[in-house]
Amino acid sequence: MTTAIALQRAGFETVVFEAAPEFKEVGAGIALSINAMKALPALGLSDEISTKGRLMETFTIYDEGGRKLSQTSNTSLNGIQGPGNFIIHRAELQSFLVSKVNQDAVYFNKRMIDFEQATQSIIIKFADGSECETKYLIVADGIHSVARKKLLPHAKPRFSGQTCWRGVITLQEMELEESFETWGRQGRFGLGPLLDHKFYWYASLNAKPNDSAFRQFGIRDLQNRFNDFHSPIPEVLAASTDADLIWGDIIDIKPISQYAFDRILLIGDAAHATTPNLGQGGAMAIEDAVILANELKKETDVNLAFLNFEKRRLPRTRKIVNESWRVGKISQLENSALISMRNWVMRHFPASVNEKQLKFLFDVDL
Ligand SMILES: Cc1cc2nc3c(=O)[nH]c(=O)nc-3n(C[C@H](O)[C@H](O)[C@H](O)COP(=O)(O)OP(=O)(O)OC[C@H]3O[C@@H](n4cnc5c(N)ncnc54)[C@H](O)[C@@H]3O)c2cc1C
């Protein structure tokens, strides 16, 4: 959506083919990190969106007893680099972005199943039997991208060893002025405030891929794992119902080394799906939108502009995917000695060092 917005704003004729029959209200919460928020003004979206979520001053990591392991102050990052982390309901973000795309240019029920590259064009083939001839194809069909599978068959989704439940609850009496994660021995729990006394939470456990026991998990099972964690985690789970649960294994794509294929360009999760540990998948997709529009404005040869985009995006997205993978492993250690060592190091690390490490995430060259 953000790429369609960016290209339409830049004056390029852009059409979106979407597999779903409609955009439904989906998902739980999503954090738009500082770099994502820095990209939004270029899309003309920053003012309006700010009323639809919560800007967070701090992100804290606790141990399961509630002892602070580290805290990132978005205000101090803010001072250096831009606006803070913003938490918004996914459904809110999606409907907002959809409303900013020229509606005549969005075609639903158009699931691409294949494409053919000709010299001067691409023929896209859809599941409903129809075809479309286009000059260029920007592939934004997510982690299970059909086009990426054809272009790079070896690049397959990679299971992180972790599985995750998410939900949104309403708790009138709860006050929370930060988003946090708790790294316990039994798993990881995250919480962040949305608008109107709503809260977004997630719980992550180490797992085998597509584990049938976890597939059946309900709130009671999560309470068995997380009820010894510090407040308000038990209260949050007590306020949740099985119907609130969204479950999925955590996967990414091991970094690939090509996004541009003549008239075809991979962007977003189709190009660089990452684990959610740094909250960067959506952020990178938003960065892609702005950077692609800028490269297309600078270079009239579109194939060359795609290559320039690839050159700029490969190193940064690779670094983020790898770093996120690493953070995922560190956050869900199981060995007690390693956990104690990790927690000690985190508690004694000055916040400034932590913030310095995050600087590369937020210092995006748009
Ligand atoms: C648990 C979890 C938490 C996350 N938290 C965050 C966070 O806090 N911050 C953040 O920035 N990111 C987060 N992410 C990552 C973020 O959700 C993704 O990176 C982002 O949605 C990628 O956007 P995309 O448009 O590339 O792909 P998608 O959001 O997957 O969208 C792909 C679209 O293509 C359509 N489609 C699929 N196949 C076809 C086809 N063959 N033909 C036509 N259309 C098709 C789909 O219906 C969909 O609309 C999280 C991810 C997970 C799993």
Side-chain angles (χ1 to χ4, degrees):
M1 283 298 121
T2 46
T3 295
I5 295 166
L7 296 188
Q8 287 177 354
R9 279 175 68 91
F12 297 100
E13 195 187 333
T14 310
V15 168
V16 178
F17 294 112
E18 167 57 50
E22 59 180 318
F23 287 122
K24 281 210 190 116
E25 298 222 331
V26 288
I30 183 162
L32 295 184
S33 57
I34 294 174
N35 46 319
M37 296 303 281
K38 279 168 87 174
L40 289 178
L43 303 172
L45 302 177
S46 53
D47 289 344
E48 231 181 304
I49 207 169
S50 63
T51 59
K52 297 181 185 297
R54 295 275 305 269
L55 200 60
M56 285 297 100
E57 296 280 309
T58 52
F59 174 74
T60 309
I61 300 177
Y62 296 103
D63 69 13
E64 63 202 31
R67 194 148 57 142
K68 193 187 290 178
L69 298 180
S70 80
Q71 187 167 64
T72 315
S73 160
N74 292 323
T75 325
S76 64
L77 283 171
N78 208 0
I80 317 163
Q81 292 145 30
N85 275 340
F86 184 73
I87 308 190
I88 182 169
H89 200 297
R90 253 172 208 269
E92 189 76 54
L93 176 64
Q94 179 175 284
S95 60
F96 173 69
L97 293 177
V98 170
S99 76
K100 299 296 169 191
V101 177
N102 175 359
Q103 298 302 302
D104 298 341
V106 182
Y107 294 86
F108 291 100
N109 274 319
K110 287 289 172 191
R111 177 175 294 281
M112 181 174 86
I113 51 167
D114 198 6
F115 65 85
E116 272 166 26
Q117 285 212 66
T119 336
Q120 296 297 326
S121 67
I122 296 150
I123 316 280
I124 309 173
K125 299 180 177 187
F126 298 104
D128 63 2
S130 62
E131 292 186 355
C132 168
E133 184 165 11
T134 175
K135 274 189 165 172
Y136 304 99
L137 172 62
I138 296 168
V139 174
D141 55 353
I143 189 165
H144 299 290
S145 171
V146 166
R148 190 197 58 238
K149 276 181 199 152
K150 179 163 179 168
L151 293 162
L152 296 173
H154 64 277
K156 297 201 171 73
R158 165 175 74 160
F159 177 55
S160 68
Q162 296 171 357
T163 198
C164 181
W165 293 262
R166 293 176 280 163
V168 171
I169 49 155
T170 305
L171 264 179
Q172 294 293 345
E173 63 280 10
M174 187 160 81
E175 300 288 338
L176 185 68
E177 293 303 324
E178 64 169 2
S179 52
F180 72 80
E181 258 188 23
T182 297
W183 294 4
R185 281 154 213 273
Q186 286 258 31
R188 182 165 38 142
F189 198 96
L191 184 67
L194 298 164
L195 293 180
D196 304 325
H197 304 283
K198 288 194 167 61
F199 298 87
Y200 159 50
W201 64 265
Y202 50 92
S204 175
L205 295 174
N206 291 339
K208 295 193 203 76
N210 204 9
D211 190 310
S212 54
F214 287 145
R215 181 179 284 279
Q216 309 298 330
F217 252 40
I219 292 296
R220 192 161 286 191
D221 302 295
L222 290 177
Q223 286 175 318
N224 286 338
R225 304 286 184 125
F226 292 98
N227 256 7
D228 290 341
F229 279 40
H230 64 86
S231 178
I233 293 168
E235 292 89 322
V236 167
L237 286 174
S240 306
T241 66
D242 291 348
D244 297 329
L245 285 181
I246 301 171
W247 171 72
D249 280 347
I250 299 299
I251 52 177
D252 76 355
I253 300 285
K254 195 171 171 194
I256 57 178
S257 52
Q258 191 177 0
Y259 298 158
F261 300 80
D262 300 325
R263 294 171 172 271
I264 301 177
L265 183 69
L266 304 181
I267 61 163
D269 274 14
H272 42 63
T274 179
T275 50
N277 304 305
L278 297 172
Q280 284 293 318
M284 287 193 287
I286 296 172
E287 290 176 6
D288 283 351
V290 174
I291 290 169
L292 178 58
N294 286 342
E295 289 303 326
L296 284 166
K297 281 188 254 177
K298 277 194 268 177
E299 174 57 67
T300 50
D301 178 335
V302 175
N303 291 21
L304 209 52
F306 283 180
L307 282 171
N308 292 341
F309 170 91
E310 175 188 277
K311 199 168 160 198
R312 284 182 66 185
R313 296 304 283 156
L314 275 175
R316 175 172 171 80
T317 52
R318 169 182 292 269
K319 188 169 176 182
I320 291 175
V321 171
N322 287 338
E323 183 62 14
S324 182
W325 185 268
R326 194 180 69 82
V327 169
K329 296 291 172 207
I330 294 172
S331 64
Q332 286 184 214
L333 291 174
E334 287 181 337
N335 177 297
S336 289
L338 289 179
I339 292 174
S340 302
M341 205 172 358
R342 175 198 70 195
N343 291 1
W344 189 91
V345 170
M346 286 177 75
R347 279 201 313 277
H348 293 85
F349 235 48
S352 57
V353 175
N354 189 21
E355 284 167 13
K356 220 173 184 174
Q357 284 187 327
L358 291 173
K359 197 173 179 320
F360 90 92
L361 282 179
F362 306 135
D363 257 354
V364 54
D365 173 21
L366 296 165

